[in-house]
Amino acid sequence: MVLGLGAYLGVEAGMLPANADGKPSRLERWAARTSLRTTLEREAPKGPNPLPLDDANLIAGIKLYAANCAICHGASEGKPSNIALGVYQKPPQLVKDGVEDDPEGVTYWKVAHGIRFTAMPAFGKALEDRQLWQLTLFLKHMDGLPPAPQRVWKAVKSEATSSS
Ligand code: HEC
């Protein structure tokens, strides 16, 4: 009760930062990362990607990425857009700082459910399950695409950046 009142007064007094251009505190980072990790251990699918690794699925994943993700996670040249620069937490520019090493079930879960306390949206309502796995397939193989998907990927343009 006292703790609750203290927290309430603290928030009322503006002690909880409300801006998006600061750096997250260690406590905030720890709480967010720990709850994400435990949720992933419990909920992320454990098996392999149910879709075959072929050009059609990779290209479908690239097109979905261009339409839904490049605005925050960047295109193949890895230049953050104006939106990416202003978002709290920073969205990783996936071409440089990708998720190729993560289990596909983990990436699938993040794309389907989003990441709380960050700008990472949940796409599970907007996209079909098959599309979520196509995105996952592309992210898993982004650094080693076969020639045809690689051409499609190179043609994806960055969104507005500070120099354009
Ligand atoms: C509005 C901005 C925004 C959009 C659009 C967005 N994301 Fe994210 N995404 C983020 C942010 C911010 C993070 C980092 C969250 C964190 O710090 O844990 C993130 C994290 C991720 C991660 C985890 C990265 C890692 O290193 O663990 C994956 C995977 C991901 N996004 C995939 C996608 C995909 C696929 C799409 C499109 C279908 C997408 N995101 C669209 C903002 C966005």
Side-chain angles (χ1 to χ4, degrees), residues 36 67-73 83 87-92 94 106-127 132 135 139:
L36 178 62
N68 295 285
C69 325
I71 186 77
C72 284
H73 290 295
I83 289 179
V87 160
Y88 172 104
Q89 322 266 341
K90 292 265 165 293
L94 291 176
V106 164
T107 300
Y108 167 89
W109 189 96
K110 289 177 179 170
V111 181
H113 298 285
I115 302 178
R116 198 180 282 217
F117 309 122
T118 80
M120 175 61 198
F123 287 92
K125 290 205 178 83
L127 301 178
L132 299 175
L135 280 162
L139 295 186

PDB file of all heavy atoms in Angstrom, residues 36 67-73 83 87-92 94 106-127 132 135 139:
ATOM      1  N   LEU A  36      11.199 -11.241 -21.275  1.00  0.00           N
ATOM      2  CA  LEU A  36      11.150 -11.722 -22.655  1.00  0.00           C
ATOM      3  C   LEU A  36      11.781 -13.117 -22.750  1.00  0.00           C
ATOM      4  O   LEU A  36      11.226 -14.020 -23.371  1.00  0.00           O
ATOM      5  CB  LEU A  36      11.890 -10.742 -23.578  1.00  0.00           C
ATOM      6  CG  LEU A  36      11.976 -11.137 -25.050  1.00  0.00           C
ATOM      7  CD1 LEU A  36      10.581 -11.227 -25.676  1.00  0.00           C
ATOM      8  CD2 LEU A  36      12.823 -10.149 -25.848  1.00  0.00           C
ATOM      9  N   ALA A  67       7.638  -4.361 -47.115  1.00  0.00           N
ATOM     10  CA  ALA A  67       6.403  -3.626 -46.840  1.00  0.00           C
ATOM     11  C   ALA A  67       6.197  -3.338 -45.352  1.00  0.00           C
ATOM     12  O   ALA A  67       5.610  -2.323 -44.995  1.00  0.00           O
ATOM     13  CB  ALA A  67       5.202  -4.418 -47.383  1.00  0.00           C
ATOM     14  N   ASN A  68       6.680  -4.216 -44.477  1.00  0.00           N
ATOM     15  CA  ASN A  68       6.307  -4.123 -43.055  1.00  0.00           C
ATOM     16  C   ASN A  68       7.453  -3.826 -42.103  1.00  0.00           C
ATOM     17  O   ASN A  68       7.208  -3.412 -40.975  1.00  0.00           O
ATOM     18  CB  ASN A  68       5.676  -5.444 -42.596  1.00  0.00           C
ATOM     19  CG  ASN A  68       4.371  -5.749 -43.287  1.00  0.00           C
ATOM     20  OD1 ASN A  68       3.362  -5.148 -42.981  1.00  0.00           O
ATOM     21  ND2 ASN A  68       4.403  -6.658 -44.237  1.00  0.00           N
ATOM     22  N   CYS A  69       8.685  -4.075 -42.501  1.00  0.00           N
ATOM     23  CA  CYS A  69       9.780  -4.088 -41.524  1.00  0.00           C
ATOM     24  C   CYS A  69      10.911  -3.129 -41.851  1.00  0.00           C
ATOM     25  O   CYS A  69      11.573  -2.612 -40.942  1.00  0.00           O
ATOM     26  CB  CYS A  69      10.367  -5.485 -41.383  1.00  0.00           C
ATOM     27  SG  CYS A  69       9.169  -6.828 -41.531  1.00  0.00           S
ATOM     28  N   ALA A  70      11.172  -2.903 -43.166  1.00  0.00           N
ATOM     29  CA  ALA A  70      12.346  -2.117 -43.555  1.00  0.00           C
ATOM     30  C   ALA A  70      12.299  -0.708 -42.959  1.00  0.00           C
ATOM     31  O   ALA A  70      13.338  -0.117 -42.675  1.00  0.00           O
ATOM     32  CB  ALA A  70      12.454  -2.051 -45.080  1.00  0.00           C
ATOM     33  N   ILE A  71      11.106  -0.180 -42.744  1.00  0.00           N
ATOM     34  CA  ILE A  71      10.971   1.162 -42.178  1.00  0.00           C
ATOM     35  C   ILE A  71      11.702   1.272 -40.833  1.00  0.00           C
ATOM     36  O   ILE A  71      12.266   2.315 -40.515  1.00  0.00           O
ATOM     37  CB  ILE A  71       9.475   1.548 -42.042  1.00  0.00           C
ATOM     38  CG1 ILE A  71       9.284   2.978 -41.597  1.00  0.00           C
ATOM     39  CG2 ILE A  71       8.719   0.644 -41.103  1.00  0.00           C
ATOM     40  CD1 ILE A  71       9.488   3.975 -42.663  1.00  0.00           C
ATOM     41  N   CYS A  72      11.725   0.218 -40.066  1.00  0.00           N
ATOM     42  CA  CYS A  72      12.453   0.238 -38.783  1.00  0.00           C
ATOM     43  C   CYS A  72      13.769  -0.539 -38.850  1.00  0.00           C
ATOM     44  O   CYS A  72      14.759  -0.130 -38.244  1.00  0.00           O
ATOM     45  CB  CYS A  72      11.596  -0.363 -37.671  1.00  0.00           C
ATOM     46  SG  CYS A  72      10.298   0.752 -37.090  1.00  0.00           S
ATOM     47  N   HIS A  73      13.794  -1.662 -39.556  1.00  0.00           N
ATOM     48  CA  HIS A  73      14.976  -2.546 -39.493  1.00  0.00           C
ATOM     49  C   HIS A  73      15.918  -2.371 -40.674  1.00  0.00           C
ATOM     50  O   HIS A  73      16.932  -3.060 -40.753  1.00  0.00           O
ATOM     51  CB  HIS A  73      14.536  -4.003 -39.391  1.00  0.00           C
ATOM     52  CG  HIS A  73      13.911  -4.342 -38.067  1.00  0.00           C
ATOM     53  ND1 HIS A  73      14.615  -4.310 -36.891  1.00  0.00           N
ATOM     54  CD2 HIS A  73      12.635  -4.693 -37.735  1.00  0.00           C
ATOM     55  CE1 HIS A  73      13.811  -4.643 -35.885  1.00  0.00           C
ATOM     56  NE2 HIS A  73      12.599  -4.863 -36.367  1.00  0.00           N
ATOM     57  N   ILE A  83      12.699   7.184 -38.864  1.00  0.00           N
ATOM     58  CA  ILE A  83      11.880   6.557 -37.820  1.00  0.00           C
ATOM     59  C   ILE A  83      12.750   5.692 -36.920  1.00  0.00           C
ATOM     60  O   ILE A  83      12.682   5.791 -35.697  1.00  0.00           O
ATOM     61  CB  ILE A  83      10.730   5.746 -38.452  1.00  0.00           C
ATOM     62  CG1 ILE A  83       9.702   6.725 -39.041  1.00  0.00           C
ATOM     63  CG2 ILE A  83      10.080   4.803 -37.438  1.00  0.00           C
ATOM     64  CD1 ILE A  83       8.525   6.090 -39.711  1.00  0.00           C
ATOM     65  N   VAL A  87      13.204   5.954 -32.570  1.00  0.00           N
ATOM     66  CA  VAL A  87      12.419   4.997 -31.787  1.00  0.00           C
ATOM     67  C   VAL A  87      13.215   4.530 -30.568  1.00  0.00           C
ATOM     68  O   VAL A  87      14.422   4.407 -30.608  1.00  0.00           O
ATOM     69  CB  VAL A  87      12.049   3.801 -32.706  1.00  0.00           C
ATOM     70  CG1 VAL A  87      11.683   2.582 -31.905  1.00  0.00           C
ATOM     71  CG2 VAL A  87      10.915   4.180 -33.624  1.00  0.00           C
ATOM     72  N   TYR A  88      12.479   4.300 -29.473  1.00  0.00           N
ATOM     73  CA  TYR A  88      13.059   3.845 -28.214  1.00  0.00           C
ATOM     74  C   TYR A  88      12.426   2.506 -27.901  1.00  0.00           C
ATOM     75  O   TYR A  88      11.209   2.438 -27.882  1.00  0.00           O
ATOM     76  CB  TYR A  88      12.692   4.872 -27.140  1.00  0.00           C
ATOM     77  CG  TYR A  88      13.024   4.516 -25.730  1.00  0.00           C
ATOM     78  CD1 TYR A  88      14.107   5.102 -25.108  1.00  0.00           C
ATOM     79  CD2 TYR A  88      12.223   3.621 -24.997  1.00  0.00           C
ATOM     80  CE1 TYR A  88      14.410   4.809 -23.792  1.00  0.00           C
ATOM     81  CE2 TYR A  88      12.534   3.325 -23.687  1.00  0.00           C
ATOM     82  CZ  TYR A  88      13.624   3.923 -23.093  1.00  0.00           C
ATOM     83  OH  TYR A  88      13.948   3.629 -21.792  1.00  0.00           O
ATOM     84  N   GLN A  89      13.070   1.435 -27.735  1.00  0.00           N
ATOM     85  CA  GLN A  89      14.459   1.075 -27.971  1.00  0.00           C
ATOM     86  C   GLN A  89      14.838   1.100 -29.459  1.00  0.00           C
ATOM     87  O   GLN A  89      13.957   0.957 -30.265  1.00  0.00           O
ATOM     88  CB  GLN A  89      14.651  -0.378 -27.524  1.00  0.00           C
ATOM     89  CG  GLN A  89      13.913  -0.787 -26.311  1.00  0.00           C
ATOM     90  CD  GLN A  89      14.849  -0.605 -25.124  1.00  0.00           C
ATOM     91  OE1 GLN A  89      16.033  -0.519 -25.291  1.00  0.00           O
ATOM     92  NE2 GLN A  89      14.295  -0.526 -23.959  1.00  0.00           N
ATOM     93  N   LYS A  90      16.115   1.140 -29.731  1.00  0.00           N
ATOM     94  CA  LYS A  90      16.556   1.176 -31.117  1.00  0.00           C
ATOM     95  C   LYS A  90      16.239  -0.143 -31.814  1.00  0.00           C
ATOM     96  O   LYS A  90      16.580  -1.210 -31.305  1.00  0.00           O
ATOM     97  CB  LYS A  90      18.075   1.367 -31.179  1.00  0.00           C
ATOM     98  CG  LYS A  90      18.533   2.723 -30.706  1.00  0.00           C
ATOM     99  CD  LYS A  90      18.691   3.664 -31.883  1.00  0.00           C
ATOM    100  CE  LYS A  90      18.804   5.110 -31.458  1.00  0.00           C
ATOM    101  NZ  LYS A  90      17.577   5.665 -30.845  1.00  0.00           N
ATOM    102  N   PRO A  91      15.609  -0.076 -33.000  1.00  0.00           N
ATOM    103  CA  PRO A  91      15.430  -1.324 -33.749  1.00  0.00           C
ATOM    104  C   PRO A  91      16.770  -1.754 -34.363  1.00  0.00           C
ATOM    105  O   PRO A  91      17.427  -0.923 -34.993  1.00  0.00           O
ATOM    106  CB  PRO A  91      14.434  -0.953 -34.847  1.00  0.00           C
ATOM    107  CG  PRO A  91      14.293   0.523 -34.822  1.00  0.00           C
ATOM    108  CD  PRO A  91      15.044   1.087 -33.665  1.00  0.00           C
ATOM    109  N   PRO A  92      17.200  -3.003 -34.185  1.00  0.00           N
ATOM    110  CA  PRO A  92      18.450  -3.412 -34.821  1.00  0.00           C
ATOM    111  C   PRO A  92      18.342  -3.318 -36.348  1.00  0.00           C
ATOM    112  O   PRO A  92      17.289  -3.634 -36.908  1.00  0.00           O
ATOM    113  CB  PRO A  92      18.623  -4.871 -34.378  1.00  0.00           C
ATOM    114  CG  PRO A  92      17.295  -5.312 -33.862  1.00  0.00           C
ATOM    115  CD  PRO A  92      16.577  -4.069 -33.419  1.00  0.00           C
ATOM    116  N   LEU A  94      18.879  -5.008 -39.321  1.00  0.00           N
ATOM    117  CA  LEU A  94      19.055  -6.468 -39.342  1.00  0.00           C
ATOM    118  C   LEU A  94      20.118  -6.942 -40.331  1.00  0.00           C
ATOM    119  O   LEU A  94      20.646  -8.035 -40.184  1.00  0.00           O
ATOM    120  CB  LEU A  94      17.715  -7.157 -39.602  1.00  0.00           C
ATOM    121  CG  LEU A  94      16.720  -7.037 -38.434  1.00  0.00           C
ATOM    122  CD1 LEU A  94      15.378  -7.658 -38.794  1.00  0.00           C
ATOM    123  CD2 LEU A  94      17.248  -7.679 -37.159  1.00  0.00           C
ATOM    124  N   VAL A 106      12.098 -18.732 -32.172  1.00  0.00           N
ATOM    125  CA  VAL A 106      12.240 -17.501 -31.386  1.00  0.00           C
ATOM    126  C   VAL A 106      11.915 -16.286 -32.255  1.00  0.00           C
ATOM    127  O   VAL A 106      11.152 -15.400 -31.860  1.00  0.00           O
ATOM    128  CB  VAL A 106      13.673 -17.411 -30.802  1.00  0.00           C
ATOM    129  CG1 VAL A 106      13.989 -16.012 -30.319  1.00  0.00           C
ATOM    130  CG2 VAL A 106      13.835 -18.425 -29.671  1.00  0.00           C
ATOM    131  N   THR A 107      12.455 -16.262 -33.459  1.00  0.00           N
ATOM    132  CA  THR A 107      12.169 -15.145 -34.370  1.00  0.00           C
ATOM    133  C   THR A 107      10.681 -15.123 -34.722  1.00  0.00           C
ATOM    134  O   THR A 107      10.036 -14.066 -34.682  1.00  0.00           O
ATOM    135  CB  THR A 107      13.021 -15.276 -35.648  1.00  0.00           C
ATOM    136  OG1 THR A 107      14.399 -15.240 -35.253  1.00  0.00           O
ATOM    137  CG2 THR A 107      12.745 -14.171 -36.632  1.00  0.00           C
ATOM    138  N   TYR A 108      10.138 -16.293 -35.031  1.00  0.00           N
ATOM    139  CA  TYR A 108       8.707 -16.392 -35.343  1.00  0.00           C
ATOM    140  C   TYR A 108       7.870 -15.805 -34.208  1.00  0.00           C
ATOM    141  O   TYR A 108       6.954 -15.019 -34.431  1.00  0.00           O
ATOM    142  CB  TYR A 108       8.338 -17.867 -35.581  1.00  0.00           C
ATOM    143  CG  TYR A 108       6.859 -18.130 -35.599  1.00  0.00           C
ATOM    144  CD1 TYR A 108       6.126 -18.031 -36.785  1.00  0.00           C
ATOM    145  CD2 TYR A 108       6.169 -18.458 -34.427  1.00  0.00           C
ATOM    146  CE1 TYR A 108       4.758 -18.250 -36.794  1.00  0.00           C
ATOM    147  CE2 TYR A 108       4.802 -18.675 -34.429  1.00  0.00           C
ATOM    148  CZ  TYR A 108       4.104 -18.568 -35.610  1.00  0.00           C
ATOM    149  OH  TYR A 108       2.743 -18.774 -35.608  1.00  0.00           O
ATOM    150  N   TRP A 109       8.202 -16.169 -32.977  1.00  0.00           N
ATOM    151  CA  TRP A 109       7.424 -15.688 -31.822  1.00  0.00           C
ATOM    152  C   TRP A 109       7.491 -14.162 -31.730  1.00  0.00           C
ATOM    153  O   TRP A 109       6.474 -13.492 -31.512  1.00  0.00           O
ATOM    154  CB  TRP A 109       7.925 -16.338 -30.519  1.00  0.00           C
ATOM    155  CG  TRP A 109       7.022 -16.035 -29.357  1.00  0.00           C
ATOM    156  CD1 TRP A 109       6.013 -16.817 -28.870  1.00  0.00           C
ATOM    157  CD2 TRP A 109       7.018 -14.826 -28.556  1.00  0.00           C
ATOM    158  NE1 TRP A 109       5.388 -16.180 -27.816  1.00  0.00           N
ATOM    159  CE2 TRP A 109       5.977 -14.962 -27.603  1.00  0.00           C
ATOM    160  CE3 TRP A 109       7.785 -13.670 -28.553  1.00  0.00           C
ATOM    161  CZ2 TRP A 109       5.691 -13.977 -26.652  1.00  0.00           C
ATOM    162  CZ3 TRP A 109       7.504 -12.681 -27.614  1.00  0.00           C
ATOM    163  CH2 TRP A 109       6.466 -12.836 -26.674  1.00  0.00           C
ATOM    164  N   LYS A 110       8.703 -13.601 -31.907  1.00  0.00           N
ATOM    165  CA  LYS A 110       8.854 -12.141 -31.789  1.00  0.00           C
ATOM    166  C   LYS A 110       8.039 -11.420 -32.866  1.00  0.00           C
ATOM    167  O   LYS A 110       7.418 -10.389 -32.608  1.00  0.00           O
ATOM    168  CB  LYS A 110      10.331 -11.742 -31.903  1.00  0.00           C
ATOM    169  CG  LYS A 110      11.154 -12.153 -30.687  1.00  0.00           C
ATOM    170  CD  LYS A 110      12.620 -11.812 -30.882  1.00  0.00           C
ATOM    171  CE  LYS A 110      13.437 -12.212 -29.658  1.00  0.00           C
ATOM    172  NZ  LYS A 110      14.894 -12.115 -29.914  1.00  0.00           N
ATOM    173  N   VAL A 111       8.041 -11.973 -34.082  1.00  0.00           N
ATOM    174  CA  VAL A 111       7.307 -11.322 -35.160  1.00  0.00           C
ATOM    175  C   VAL A 111       5.794 -11.474 -34.924  1.00  0.00           C
ATOM    176  O   VAL A 111       5.023 -10.538 -35.130  1.00  0.00           O
ATOM    177  CB  VAL A 111       7.722 -11.895 -36.537  1.00  0.00           C
ATOM    178  CG1 VAL A 111       6.972 -11.197 -37.666  1.00  0.00           C
ATOM    179  CG2 VAL A 111       9.234 -11.753 -36.746  1.00  0.00           C
ATOM    180  N   ALA A 112       5.373 -12.632 -34.450  1.00  0.00           N
ATOM    181  CA  ALA A 112       3.937 -12.859 -34.230  1.00  0.00           C
ATOM    182  C   ALA A 112       3.409 -12.023 -33.059  1.00  0.00           C
ATOM    183  O   ALA A 112       2.319 -11.458 -33.136  1.00  0.00           O
ATOM    184  CB  ALA A 112       3.674 -14.348 -33.968  1.00  0.00           C
ATOM    185  N   HIS A 113       4.185 -11.929 -31.966  1.00  0.00           N
ATOM    186  CA  HIS A 113       3.663 -11.335 -30.727  1.00  0.00           C
ATOM    187  C   HIS A 113       4.226  -9.965 -30.407  1.00  0.00           C
ATOM    188  O   HIS A 113       3.737  -9.291 -29.496  1.00  0.00           O
ATOM    189  CB  HIS A 113       3.931 -12.283 -29.557  1.00  0.00           C
ATOM    190  CG  HIS A 113       3.241 -13.606 -29.709  1.00  0.00           C
ATOM    191  ND1 HIS A 113       1.891 -13.770 -29.506  1.00  0.00           N
ATOM    192  CD2 HIS A 113       3.705 -14.814 -30.114  1.00  0.00           C
ATOM    193  CE1 HIS A 113       1.554 -15.034 -29.757  1.00  0.00           C
ATOM    194  NE2 HIS A 113       2.636 -15.676 -30.124  1.00  0.00           N
ATOM    195  N   GLY A 114       5.276  -9.543 -31.114  1.00  0.00           N
ATOM    196  CA  GLY A 114       5.870  -8.246 -30.818  1.00  0.00           C
ATOM    197  C   GLY A 114       6.685  -8.295 -29.537  1.00  0.00           C
ATOM    198  O   GLY A 114       6.757  -9.337 -28.867  1.00  0.00           O
ATOM    199  N   ILE A 115       7.311  -7.167 -29.183  1.00  0.00           N
ATOM    200  CA  ILE A 115       8.126  -7.112 -27.972  1.00  0.00           C
ATOM    201  C   ILE A 115       7.632  -5.952 -27.122  1.00  0.00           C
ATOM    202  O   ILE A 115       7.713  -4.785 -27.532  1.00  0.00           O
ATOM    203  CB  ILE A 115       9.624  -6.955 -28.310  1.00  0.00           C
ATOM    204  CG1 ILE A 115      10.078  -8.119 -29.201  1.00  0.00           C
ATOM    205  CG2 ILE A 115      10.451  -6.903 -27.021  1.00  0.00           C
ATOM    206  CD1 ILE A 115      11.523  -8.057 -29.641  1.00  0.00           C
ATOM    207  N   ARG A 116       7.091  -6.293 -25.980  1.00  0.00           N
ATOM    208  CA  ARG A 116       6.511  -5.294 -25.094  1.00  0.00           C
ATOM    209  C   ARG A 116       7.557  -4.275 -24.647  1.00  0.00           C
ATOM    210  O   ARG A 116       8.751  -4.597 -24.578  1.00  0.00           O
ATOM    211  CB  ARG A 116       5.921  -5.989 -23.866  1.00  0.00           C
ATOM    212  CG  ARG A 116       4.939  -5.094 -23.148  1.00  0.00           C
ATOM    213  CD  ARG A 116       4.374  -5.794 -21.970  1.00  0.00           C
ATOM    214  NE  ARG A 116       3.347  -6.750 -22.384  1.00  0.00           N
ATOM    215  CZ  ARG A 116       2.245  -6.968 -21.678  1.00  0.00           C
ATOM    216  NH1 ARG A 116       2.016  -6.298 -20.575  1.00  0.00           N
ATOM    217  NH2 ARG A 116       1.364  -7.852 -22.081  1.00  0.00           N
ATOM    218  N   PHE A 117       7.140  -3.080 -24.356  1.00  0.00           N
ATOM    219  CA  PHE A 117       8.005  -1.946 -23.963  1.00  0.00           C
ATOM    220  C   PHE A 117       8.883  -1.448 -25.111  1.00  0.00           C
ATOM    221  O   PHE A 117       9.827  -0.704 -24.888  1.00  0.00           O
ATOM    222  CB  PHE A 117       8.916  -2.283 -22.771  1.00  0.00           C
ATOM    223  CG  PHE A 117       8.198  -2.876 -21.600  1.00  0.00           C
ATOM    224  CD1 PHE A 117       8.551  -4.115 -21.103  1.00  0.00           C
ATOM    225  CD2 PHE A 117       7.146  -2.186 -20.995  1.00  0.00           C
ATOM    226  CE1 PHE A 117       7.880  -4.670 -20.028  1.00  0.00           C
ATOM    227  CE2 PHE A 117       6.471  -2.733 -19.917  1.00  0.00           C
ATOM    228  CZ  PHE A 117       6.843  -3.980 -19.430  1.00  0.00           C
ATOM    229  N   THR A 118       8.650  -1.923 -26.330  1.00  0.00           N
ATOM    230  CA  THR A 118       9.432  -1.433 -27.472  1.00  0.00           C
ATOM    231  C   THR A 118       8.455  -1.170 -28.618  1.00  0.00           C
ATOM    232  O   THR A 118       7.267  -1.497 -28.521  1.00  0.00           O
ATOM    233  CB  THR A 118      10.473  -2.467 -27.966  1.00  0.00           C
ATOM    234  OG1 THR A 118       9.815  -3.437 -28.777  1.00  0.00           O
ATOM    235  CG2 THR A 118      11.189  -3.154 -26.819  1.00  0.00           C
ATOM    236  N   ALA A 119       8.986  -0.600 -29.707  1.00  0.00           N
ATOM    237  CA  ALA A 119       8.129  -0.307 -30.868  1.00  0.00           C
ATOM    238  C   ALA A 119       7.871  -1.537 -31.720  1.00  0.00           C
ATOM    239  O   ALA A 119       7.146  -1.454 -32.709  1.00  0.00           O
ATOM    240  CB  ALA A 119       8.787   0.784 -31.718  1.00  0.00           C
ATOM    241  N   MET A 120       8.476  -2.670 -31.362  1.00  0.00           N
ATOM    242  CA  MET A 120       8.310  -3.874 -32.189  1.00  0.00           C
ATOM    243  C   MET A 120       6.863  -4.360 -32.150  1.00  0.00           C
ATOM    244  O   MET A 120       6.380  -4.811 -31.117  1.00  0.00           O
ATOM    245  CB  MET A 120       9.271  -4.962 -31.681  1.00  0.00           C
ATOM    246  CG  MET A 120       9.110  -6.313 -32.369  1.00  0.00           C
ATOM    247  SD  MET A 120       9.430  -6.188 -34.153  1.00  0.00           S
ATOM    248  CE  MET A 120       8.663  -7.691 -34.725  1.00  0.00           C
ATOM    249  N   PRO A 121       6.152  -4.222 -33.319  1.00  0.00           N
ATOM    250  CA  PRO A 121       4.721  -4.562 -33.318  1.00  0.00           C
ATOM    251  C   PRO A 121       4.495  -6.080 -33.348  1.00  0.00           C
ATOM    252  O   PRO A 121       5.362  -6.829 -33.789  1.00  0.00           O
ATOM    253  CB  PRO A 121       4.209  -3.952 -34.637  1.00  0.00           C
ATOM    254  CG  PRO A 121       5.330  -3.182 -35.230  1.00  0.00           C
ATOM    255  CD  PRO A 121       6.595  -3.702 -34.622  1.00  0.00           C
ATOM    256  N   ALA A 122       3.321  -6.504 -32.921  1.00  0.00           N
ATOM    257  CA  ALA A 122       2.892  -7.895 -33.101  1.00  0.00           C
ATOM    258  C   ALA A 122       2.224  -8.003 -34.472  1.00  0.00           C
ATOM    259  O   ALA A 122       1.295  -7.262 -34.755  1.00  0.00           O
ATOM    260  CB  ALA A 122       1.899  -8.264 -32.011  1.00  0.00           C
ATOM    261  N   PHE A 123       2.718  -8.901 -35.313  1.00  0.00           N
ATOM    262  CA  PHE A 123       2.146  -9.038 -36.650  1.00  0.00           C
ATOM    263  C   PHE A 123       1.161 -10.199 -36.750  1.00  0.00           C
ATOM    264  O   PHE A 123       0.650 -10.488 -37.825  1.00  0.00           O
ATOM    265  CB  PHE A 123       3.264  -9.179 -37.691  1.00  0.00           C
ATOM    266  CG  PHE A 123       3.991  -7.884 -37.927  1.00  0.00           C
ATOM    267  CD1 PHE A 123       5.134  -7.575 -37.203  1.00  0.00           C
ATOM    268  CD2 PHE A 123       3.524  -6.956 -38.844  1.00  0.00           C
ATOM    269  CE1 PHE A 123       5.803  -6.367 -37.401  1.00  0.00           C
ATOM    270  CE2 PHE A 123       4.183  -5.745 -39.045  1.00  0.00           C
ATOM    271  CZ  PHE A 123       5.320  -5.455 -38.322  1.00  0.00           C
ATOM    272  N   GLY A 124       0.924 -10.873 -35.624  1.00  0.00           N
ATOM    273  CA  GLY A 124       0.054 -12.051 -35.631  1.00  0.00           C
ATOM    274  C   GLY A 124      -1.383 -11.755 -36.035  1.00  0.00           C
ATOM    275  O   GLY A 124      -2.074 -12.631 -36.541  1.00  0.00           O
ATOM    276  N   LYS A 125      -1.830 -10.509 -35.855  1.00  0.00           N
ATOM    277  CA  LYS A 125      -3.210 -10.177 -36.245  1.00  0.00           C
ATOM    278  C   LYS A 125      -3.284  -9.804 -37.724  1.00  0.00           C
ATOM    279  O   LYS A 125      -4.277 -10.033 -38.379  1.00  0.00           O
ATOM    280  CB  LYS A 125      -3.724  -8.994 -35.416  1.00  0.00           C
ATOM    281  CG  LYS A 125      -3.954  -9.348 -33.963  1.00  0.00           C
ATOM    282  CD  LYS A 125      -4.994  -8.401 -33.345  1.00  0.00           C
ATOM    283  CE  LYS A 125      -5.270  -8.764 -31.904  1.00  0.00           C
ATOM    284  NZ  LYS A 125      -4.257  -8.176 -30.998  1.00  0.00           N
ATOM    285  N   ALA A 126      -2.200  -9.192 -38.218  1.00  0.00           N
ATOM    286  CA  ALA A 126      -2.244  -8.659 -39.584  1.00  0.00           C
ATOM    287  C   ALA A 126      -1.843  -9.694 -40.635  1.00  0.00           C
ATOM    288  O   ALA A 126      -2.336  -9.657 -41.762  1.00  0.00           O
ATOM    289  CB  ALA A 126      -1.322  -7.446 -39.685  1.00  0.00           C
ATOM    290  N   LEU A 127      -0.943 -10.592 -40.285  1.00  0.00           N
ATOM    291  CA  LEU A 127      -0.407 -11.526 -41.289  1.00  0.00           C
ATOM    292  C   LEU A 127      -0.848 -12.951 -40.981  1.00  0.00           C
ATOM    293  O   LEU A 127      -1.149 -13.294 -39.839  1.00  0.00           O
ATOM    294  CB  LEU A 127       1.130 -11.453 -41.308  1.00  0.00           C
ATOM    295  CG  LEU A 127       1.739 -10.078 -41.618  1.00  0.00           C
ATOM    296  CD1 LEU A 127       3.258 -10.142 -41.551  1.00  0.00           C
ATOM    297  CD2 LEU A 127       1.289  -9.571 -42.980  1.00  0.00           C
ATOM    298  N   LEU A 132       4.181 -15.273 -41.583  1.00  0.00           N
ATOM    299  CA  LEU A 132       5.106 -15.108 -40.451  1.00  0.00           C
ATOM    300  C   LEU A 132       6.303 -16.042 -40.610  1.00  0.00           C
ATOM    301  O   LEU A 132       7.449 -15.669 -40.346  1.00  0.00           O
ATOM    302  CB  LEU A 132       4.388 -15.392 -39.123  1.00  0.00           C
ATOM    303  CG  LEU A 132       3.203 -14.484 -38.785  1.00  0.00           C
ATOM    304  CD1 LEU A 132       2.511 -14.960 -37.504  1.00  0.00           C
ATOM    305  CD2 LEU A 132       3.649 -13.031 -38.620  1.00  0.00           C
ATOM    306  N   LEU A 135       8.648 -14.716 -43.412  1.00  0.00           N
ATOM    307  CA  LEU A 135       9.523 -13.668 -42.860  1.00  0.00           C
ATOM    308  C   LEU A 135      10.653 -14.294 -42.043  1.00  0.00           C
ATOM    309  O   LEU A 135      11.821 -13.913 -42.175  1.00  0.00           O
ATOM    310  CB  LEU A 135       8.710 -12.728 -41.961  1.00  0.00           C
ATOM    311  CG  LEU A 135       7.888 -11.665 -42.681  1.00  0.00           C
ATOM    312  CD1 LEU A 135       6.812 -11.116 -41.758  1.00  0.00           C
ATOM    313  CD2 LEU A 135       8.788 -10.536 -43.180  1.00  0.00           C
ATOM    314  N   LEU A 139      14.730 -13.984 -42.630  1.00  0.00           N
ATOM    315  CA  LEU A 139      15.655 -13.445 -41.610  1.00  0.00           C
ATOM    316  C   LEU A 139      16.734 -14.465 -41.259  1.00  0.00           C
ATOM    317  O   LEU A 139      17.891 -14.102 -41.029  1.00  0.00           O
ATOM    318  CB  LEU A 139      14.890 -13.031 -40.348  1.00  0.00           C
ATOM    319  CG  LEU A 139      13.897 -11.877 -40.509  1.00  0.00           C
ATOM    320  CD1 LEU A 139      13.323 -11.486 -39.161  1.00  0.00           C
ATOM    321  CD2 LEU A 139      14.537 -10.666 -41.174  1.00  0.00           C
TER     322      LEU A 139
END
